[in-house]
Amino acid sequence: MTTPSQLQPVDWSRLPRRQAISAADAAQRLVRHPGWAIEGEGTGTALAKTYHFANYFQTLAFVNALAWIAHQQDHHPSLQVDYGRCTVRWNTHDAGGLSDTDFDCAQRTDTLVSTL
């Protein structure tokens, strides 16, 4: 069940400066995000998941909806878009790795998919 608050914007500028979380903390949080994986290392570490869709139109509808969420959050993922799938990679470049924001946006991405 999706609640309205799961897709509400967060003003990250009002929160303390985003900082990278430790690899151990990221691995522990990953358990609460089924289907997501940690890829890369160091500043290139990203939280990644591939979503599958019936066709290109549905894939692009997802990409456009995710773009709206990313704009609201002022946090933008790397996307690899193919005919029936899209791989989403969240990373906080200015923190030099994964941050709370990446895990929050991963949850928002899953919430978005559950509403499609």
Side-chain angles (χ1 to χ4, degrees):
M1 176 88 185
T2 303
T3 64
S5 64
Q6 289 175 304
L7 293 176
Q8 293 300 313
V10 172
D11 185 354
W12 297 103
S13 68
R14 293 184 178 268
L15 299 175
R17 186 179 176 276
R18 290 184 271 196
Q19 296 182 359
I21 59 176
S22 70
D25 189 14
Q28 187 176 32
R29 292 180 190 206
L30 189 62
V31 173
R32 297 187 303 267
H33 297 276
W36 288 89
I38 297 173
E39 297 181 349
E41 56 188 50
T43 60
T45 303
L47 193 57
K49 185 173 183 178
T50 299
Y51 294 92
H52 297 273
F53 302 95
N55 55 49
Y56 194 65
F57 177 79
Q58 288 180 5
T59 304
L60 289 184
F62 164 75
V63 168
N64 284 321
L66 184 58
W68 178 77
I69 290 171
H71 178 70
Q72 272 193 319
Q73 301 308 313
D74 192 27
H75 193 60
H76 307 91
S78 171
L79 303 174
Q80 180 180 344
V81 180
D82 295 299
Y83 176 82
R85 69 179 179 264
C86 179
T87 300
V88 179
R89 289 181 181 84
W90 293 103
N91 171 283
T92 305
H93 300 285
D94 60 340
L98 293 176
S99 72
D100 293 332
T101 309
D102 300 306
F103 283 92
D104 178 76
C105 287
Q107 181 61 52
R108 290 170 188 273
T109 308
D110 285 340
T111 299
L112 168 64
V113 170
S114 74
T115 65
L116 297 178

